[in-house]
Amino acid sequence: MKSFVLNDFIVERDDRRCIRCQVCVRQCSFEVHRYDAELDQVLADEEKCVGCQRCATFCPTHALTIRSSPREFRANANWRPELLMDIKRQAESGGVLLTGMGNDKPFRVYFDHLLLNASQVTNPSLDPLREPMEVRTYLGAKPARLRYENGRITGDMPPQIQLETPIMFSAMSYGAITYNAQLALMQAAQELGTLCNTGEGGWHPDFRKFRDHVTVQVASGRFGIDQDYLNQAAMVEIKIGQGAKPGIGGHLPGEKVTPLVARTRMIPAGTDAISPAPQHDIYSIEDLSALIYALKEATGYEKPVAVKIAAVHNAAAIASGIVRAGADVVVIDGVRGGTGAAPKAIRDHVGIPAELALAAVDRRLRQEGIRNRASLVVAGGIRCSADVFKALALGADAVYIGTAALVAMGCTLCQQCYTGKCAWGITSARPDLAKRLNPDIATRRVVNLVRAWTREIKEMLGGMGINAVESLRENRLQLRAVGLEDWEMDVLGVKGAGM
Amino acid sequence: MKDLERAANPFGDDKILANCGIFGMMNCDGRRSGGQDIIKAMANMHDRGNGLGGGYAAYGIYPEHAEDYCLHIMFESEDARRHAEEFLHHWFQVALTEPIPTRRVAGVLQVPLLWRYFVRVPSLEAGGRPGADAGPSAGGAQPHEAPGAAGTGSEGAGGVSRPDADDYVVARVMEINTTVDGAFVFSSGRNMGVFKGVGHAEDIGEFYRLDEYDAYLWTGHSRFPTNTQAWWGGAHPFSILDWTVVHNGELSSYGANRAFLEMYGYYCSMHTDTEVLAYAVDLLMRRHQLPVQAMAAVLAAPLWQDIDRMPPQERQNHTLLRQVYGGLLMNGPFAIVVAHGGEMVGLRDRIGLRPLVAAVRGSTLYLASEEAPIRLVAPELDAVWQARGGVPVVGSLERGILEGSQPVPTSGLDRGQVARAVGMH
């Protein structure tokens, strides 16, 4: 069948600059570029180009420009070119369209409609270069009160995790990302004093040395879980859902289950690794409670147990149930959260924005008087330090970043993670591609990013005259909205600018 | 005051900004003295206020009614007074009803009706209602009367335990303030009183004839609000039971503090930093029974870099306090004087952005925004110093004067007299 799908990208090569070094040929994992010795020219199969910009980045003479193809049909505000192409692809394949990374549709990004406050006259702003600025954060359930006797402060304190910055790395499994990528995240978490999440792909023996900085995930596939897996980690996270694909499970094809992946997941090499859509021992809130306490029993009540859900319509009521079921940490993953592979229809249309879900959950827990009984972590669409800052003001104790950390390593959001061909060595299945990512350089990049964001957070805190992050949490008075409807401001609990 | 929000915050601001002058003096031997000194001190700090609010708290002033709760109530109308009195007679045994004595002062205008009620909590077993009204016939509490014998037991009238009686009074005060139109309770402690209004602090002191009261502990406040209309209830001190707070500062953490306090049932209807401070103190010290030092360690927490270097027990105490009460960290410049029966506490923000001067003369502790007003009333001082950020300065009938948990040496503290005072307060 002749394909009617037009190119996504155009490859422009400036022949006066091209020195025929063929770096592009070697770098492109999608085999766009090829060298024709007879013509002494580098040619391009543009229909294969995914726009990852690997070739343009590495071209030593900047001879390459990769541009979006205009794909100009008769103008139609309703039938956008993307929809036409999707229909043609499905007409040719009959299959579910797959994609990677987070929702790329122009739903309102609430972070971009919130502005921050600063001190003027009645209180001084603080200079983080001269004054201490505290961003240390403790995750875990807190008792409602403490007691004092004979010089000792006492209380029933559940286990706490100390974070030196309120930014953690979200769940990305070994398998979804490469060995080197996960190694880089764990090294970065250790250096930064924060946590890295294994995802549900097990916990490689080489990475056990980062135990104080690792959250292990218990998801529907239950891959790689044993007594040590739970007890060696700093925190255990039950994954109910994920922002990129709420209600959907996972499927790692057998060809990606290499001996190393197989060993880590504790499954036979070459077999498909299926994560069912639900956890088949959790069909209700009381089942969740049973699992939470089973994990607490297994870990001697020494580890916080987190429960991660996708942000869905009644997230507030669900979160309340999760807290009452005994979770120490609730994680809300918004509609823009990333993934290694998801059906495009699901990724782009299921779930609600993290900002709205976070605000609603925080308010509900406070109204019910149980906000202290769990920490709140938000994920899905944190793109910069200001997003982190606004999330904290909306009530988050900490945030997860995934996409941003991968972008720091090199990712350009070409959305091809599921193909195993990642040219940047981040999600690649092929060893020759996977080895492109130098874990030490990747660690450096990720550490630099989080340090830079943390510095920016301190600058913003100082501008408000605040020197400890706990005075920002739930401090929605430090936010003002621009360009939002009344109902949106109600949900966010913020006033309009000028009010 | 049915619509507290509108009365306190007519423009609907996030909160009311106010900068101020504060003063506190406490005779830690229990000796009582008249209000003329603190009026003089507040006059000296005239320029720290703008005439839109002044007030005082005085402790030990009603010794012959020491076991009764004294409610100071302001009314917008006689109707409001009638409704409030019906409420009081329904819920309390009212031992004495009388107008609060005042005199005409040029700078004090638009005076509401000001009455005080000495009330007892009825036995809760009797259905939560008094059997009979003691009525306003018993002799009034006159300033300058000799201290009478006062009970020291922990039982209130009708066999109600003190914590229960306290909670009962708090609930009724909140009820009046939120449901009785035109009435506002601005003082509800025992053997103490809050006196406040719109005007310069020294005028308010003259207006309430504070020179005619004798107290072992005085605090005062002059106010410089930047965004509020004059409202008598909005002046400092803020109080509940015998806890009072006078405050100078601006909290950037207000939103976080308010959210935290909502978890414990405090609804911040007045939209001021001072209100969240008062509730925080109430939660930590009265409800959670934490000592002054722990309260200070929450409101003005030490830095983690310092906590991490503390000896193990101290480190654990501070770590727990910050983990659990982090939402009550008061971030931004503040200086406060908190008082309750037998104790006065001065505290500055954790990095010392707002001034608070402490001074000692004999057994008297002074706290003020500036040194000048202290020197004016006590020219010779044994010691004077800037309070350190986050380190409480405490005056106590039981423990003398302390900085943090270290005693400050005092001359002329007569232990026998202290013992009598402790029994009295």
Side-chain angles (χ1 to χ4, degrees):
Chain A
M1 198 187 294
K2 155 100 183 121
S3 174
F4 297 158
V5 178
L6 295 178
N7 305 341
D8 287 343
F9 294 94
I10 295 169
V11 177
E12 286 181 353
R13 192 184 320 272
D14 184 340
D15 201 49
R16 289 166 303 171
R17 291 187 179 205
C18 179
I19 55 172
R20 278 67 173 161
C21 67
Q22 300 176 51
V23 162
C24 52
V25 177
R26 290 187 294 275
Q27 289 295 327
C28 184
S29 51
F30 295 88
E31 298 168 338
V32 171
H33 304 280
R34 68 192 152 80
Y35 177 65
D36 188 314
E38 241 170 81
L39 295 172
D40 186 33
Q41 263 189 350
V42 186
L43 307 173
D45 289 337
E46 291 179 323
E47 67 272 18
K48 294 179 182 167
C49 180
V50 299
C52 79
Q53 304 286 354
R54 178 82 182 180
C55 58
T57 306
F58 279 80
C59 176
T61 58
H62 306 296
L64 283 166
T65 305
I66 311 298
R67 289 198 294 116
S68 281
S69 160
R71 296 185 304 195
E72 287 183 13
F73 303 93
R74 182 177 295 278
N76 191 319
N78 189 27
W79 292 94
R80 301 183 304 277
E82 182 191 350
L83 293 168
L84 299 190
M85 289 303 109
D86 283 354
I87 288 174
K88 289 178 192 302
R89 282 192 182 97
Q90 293 190 294
E92 289 163 19
S93 71
V96 170
L97 293 173
L98 285 183
T99 187
M101 304 313 288
N103 191 323
D104 59 6
K105 297 296 171 287
F107 293 108
R108 182 163 274 180
V109 178
Y110 287 92
F111 288 132
D112 292 340
H113 290 264
L114 295 171
L115 293 172
L116 302 174
N117 194 24
S119 295
Q120 299 288 291
V121 181
T122 53
N123 54 351
S125 45
L126 303 171
D127 181 350
L129 295 177
R130 294 159 199 272
E131 307 278 353
M133 285 288 157
E134 302 186 309
V135 294
R136 183 186 291 182
T137 297
Y138 286 92
L139 289 189
K142 313 288 190 294
R145 65 170 295 179
L146 295 172
R147 288 169 201 284
Y148 175 82
E149 45 196 312
N150 305 325
R152 295 170 65 90
I153 300 284
T154 59
D156 279 337
M157 200 66 176
Q160 302 290 313
I161 300 284
Q162 181 178 322
L163 303 177
E164 296 305 336
T165 178
I167 302 167
M168 302 186 291
F169 301 123
S170 51
M172 289 177 281
S173 68
Y174 171 46
I177 59 172
T178 58
Y179 178 98
N180 284 352
Q182 199 173 62
L183 172 60
L185 290 173
M186 290 195 181
Q187 289 185 156
Q190 185 174 50
E191 194 172 335
L192 292 163
T194 186
L195 293 181
C196 172
N197 193 314
T198 59
E200 67 163 324
W203 187 6
H204 196 283
D206 296 356
F207 299 160
R208 301 277 165 142
K209 62 186 173 195
F210 304 110
R211 52 193 295 172
D212 293 342
H213 300 279
V214 169
T215 299
V216 291
Q217 214 175 41
V218 174
S220 62
R222 300 287 160 86
F223 297 118
I225 299 174
D226 62 8
Q227 189 68 17
D228 288 344
Y229 177 85
L230 299 173
N231 275 291
Q232 289 173 1
M235 184 160 84
V236 179
E237 180 179 278
I238 298 170
K239 176 199 165 185
I240 300 296
Q242 153 180 10
K245 43 178 175 177
I248 298 287
H251 179 178
L252 193 66
E255 47 270 33
K256 288 183 92 168
V257 182
T258 62
L260 216 52
V261 170
R263 186 173 156 209
T264 306
R265 295 200 175 213
M266 300 181 187
I267 57 173
T271 59
D272 288 5
I274 307 276
S275 303
Q279 304 218 15
H280 281 301
D281 53 359
I282 304 177
Y283 286 0
S284 68
I285 192 74
E286 58 270 28
D287 291 345
L288 174 67
S289 191
L291 180 60
I292 290 170
Y293 282 98
L295 294 172
K296 288 188 178 190
E297 288 288 338
T299 53
Y301 292 83
E302 287 172 1
K303 320 276 180 193
V305 173
V307 175
K308 175 179 177 177
I309 56 165
V312 289
H313 299 179
N314 42 1
I318 296 166
S320 164
I322 290 171
V323 175
R324 293 176 191 283
D328 301 279
V329 178
V330 178
V331 183
I332 308 290
D333 195 11
V335 72
R336 287 185 299 273
T339 178
K344 190 163 182 271
I346 301 290
R347 185 198 72 172
D348 290 351
H349 299 283
V350 182
I352 64 172
E355 303 94 308
L356 298 181
L358 165 65
V361 167
D362 174 67
R363 176 191 290 131
R364 174 66 73 85
L365 297 182
R366 190 144 30 85
Q367 281 171 342
E368 294 189 13
I370 55 175
R371 179 63 183 81
N372 61 300
R373 282 166 54 183
S375 293
L376 196 47
V377 174
V378 70
I382 304 284
R383 306 156 302 168
C384 58
S385 58
D387 288 356
V388 180
F389 200 88
K390 292 167 187 175
L392 298 178
L394 288 174
D397 289 286
V399 305
Y400 266 136
I401 61 168
T403 301
L406 301 189
V407 171
M409 292 182 193
C411 169
T412 57
L413 279 88
C414 73
Q415 309 189 358
Q416 304 302 307
C417 326
Y418 65 98
T419 64
K421 292 186 190 170
C422 176
W424 295 85
I426 297 168
T427 65
S428 332
R430 275 164 41 193
D432 64 310
L433 297 175
K435 76 177 185 191
R436 287 182 176 184
L437 191 76
N438 177 318
D440 294 329
I441 294 172
T443 303
R444 210 60 272 128
R445 286 176 168 277
V446 174
V447 167
N448 283 344
L449 175 76
V450 176
R451 289 233 167 102
W453 283 14
T454 306
R455 284 195 187 103
E456 288 173 343
I457 288 167
K458 291 178 178 182
E459 291 282 352
M460 288 183 257
L461 279 175
M464 288 179 180
I466 287 175
N467 59 9
V469 75
E470 55 258 52
S471 299
L472 173 65
R473 285 208 181 88
E474 305 186 279
N475 198 341
R476 300 185 194 194
L477 293 178
Q478 299 292 355
L479 300 173
R480 284 292 190 272
V482 283
L484 294 183
E485 305 282 341
D486 284 350
W487 72 265
E488 294 166 309
M489 291 191 279
D490 283 349
V491 174
L492 292 167
V494 301
K495 292 184 185 177
M499 299 274 286
Chain B
M1 264 305 139
K2 224 193 270 171
D3 196 348
L4 266 185
E5 291 213 24
R6 196 166 49 80
N9 186 16
F11 301 116
D13 290 325
D14 280 355
K15 62 173 175 173
I16 292 139
L17 307 173
N19 294 317
C20 318
I22 59 178
F23 193 87
M25 54 184 285
M26 177 177 183
N27 299 323
C28 296
D29 56 7
R31 185 171 38 85
R32 301 195 298 152
S33 55
Q36 56 278 2
D37 275 0
I38 194 167
I39 293 174
K40 209 158 100 182
M42 295 314 296
N44 178 267
M45 292 193 290
H46 180 89
D47 288 350
R48 297 188 78 92
N50 65 357
L52 288 181
Y56 301 84
Y59 289 79
I61 55 173
Y62 299 133
E64 51 298 299
H65 291 279
E67 283 306 298
D68 294 339
Y69 293 90
C70 179
L71 307 183
H72 290 187
I73 310 184
M74 53 181 75
F75 303 106
E76 284 176 356
S77 66
E78 284 295 341
D79 250 12
R81 181 161 79 93
R82 198 163 41 76
H83 286 132
E85 287 184 357
E86 278 170 17
F87 181 95
L88 292 178
H89 288 289
H90 183 81
W91 292 102
F92 294 102
Q93 288 175 305
V94 182
L96 174 65
T97 299
E98 62 184 5
I100 299 174
T102 57
R103 64 166 75 98
R104 280 168 176 259
V105 174
V108 180
L109 304 165
Q110 293 180 311
V111 180
L113 303 172
L114 297 163
W115 285 71
R116 66 185 167 206
Y117 304 85
F118 292 91
V119 302
R120 288 166 199 165
V121 174
S123 166
L124 298 177
E125 284 166 20
R129 247 188 233 210
D133 171 22
S137 54
Q142 296 302 320
H144 276 299
E145 278 187 6
T152 56
S154 63
E155 300 263 304
V160 183
S161 76
R162 179 158 298 177
D164 288 348
D166 282 353
D167 287 343
Y168 182 89
V169 171
V170 170
R172 297 293 88 75
V173 168
M174 296 279 179
E175 223 170 307
I176 295 173
N177 287 353
T178 53
T179 63
V180 181
D181 206 5
F184 183 71
V185 181
F186 60 101
S187 184
S188 54
R190 284 186 295 197
N191 199 10
M192 59 79 66
V194 169
F195 303 89
K196 64 184 188 180
V198 174
H200 280 288
E202 61 273 26
D203 294 337
I204 293 294
E206 294 293 336
F207 169 80
Y208 277 110
R209 301 164 67 163
L210 295 186
D211 46 308
E212 297 174 7
Y213 293 83
D214 283 328
Y216 62 86
L217 194 174
W218 288 95
T219 67
H221 186 266
S222 70
R223 186 155 179 255
F224 197 138
T226 54
N227 65 343
T228 185
Q229 288 176 333
W231 179 56
W232 280 59
H236 293 213
F238 278 62
S239 72
I240 190 70
L241 300 172
D242 68 346
W243 294 85
T244 61
V245 179
V246 291
H247 160 238
N248 171 24
E250 153 93 26
L251 300 176
S252 303
S253 57
Y254 176 77
N257 304 142
R258 199 177 71 172
F260 187 91
L261 285 165
E262 278 174 16
M263 285 269 304
Y264 294 88
Y266 295 94
Y267 178 63
C268 296
S269 52
M270 312 273 288
H271 292 277
T272 68
D273 294 335
T274 316
E275 187 184 26
V276 302
L277 271 162
Y279 289 157
V281 171
D282 184 64
L283 177 71
L284 294 170
M285 293 189 69
R286 184 176 70 83
R287 283 173 58 185
H288 290 183
Q289 297 283 305
L290 296 174
V292 167
Q293 288 74 15
M295 181 268 283
V298 169
L299 303 190
L303 299 164
W304 285 119
Q305 64 192 44
D306 297 328
I307 293 173
D308 290 346
R309 286 197 292 263
M310 289 175 179
Q313 183 59 52
E314 214 181 330
R315 187 170 68 229
Q316 191 195 330
N317 286 353
H318 281 280
T319 303
L320 281 170
L321 287 169
R322 284 197 72 175
Q323 286 174 330
V324 173
Y325 297 111
L328 291 181
L329 172 64
M330 300 291 154
N331 220 308
F334 76 84
I336 54 172
V337 177
V338 178
H340 64 118
E343 191 167 62
M344 176 174 82
V345 184
L347 182 67
R348 291 172 82 189
D349 59 84
R350 62 203 309 237
I351 55 174
L353 295 170
R354 270 290 195 280
L356 186 70
V357 177
V360 174
R361 175 60 177 176
S363 57
T364 303
L365 170 66
Y366 296 94
L367 297 166
S369 298
E370 304 172 14
E371 187 174 337
I374 301 176
R375 291 281 181 190
L376 187 66
V377 297
E380 298 298 320
L381 295 170
D382 301 338
V384 57
W385 72 98
Q386 265 295 348
R388 286 179 287 158
V391 180
V393 179
V394 184
S396 163
L397 289 182
E398 287 166 20
R399 293 177 296 152
I401 298 171
L402 303 113
E403 188 185 16
S405 45
Q406 300 302 311
V408 174
T410 51
S411 58
L413 201 61
D414 174 350
R415 277 285 147 201
Q417 199 175 0
V418 172
R420 286 192 298 281
V422 169
M424 181 197 78
H425 84 82

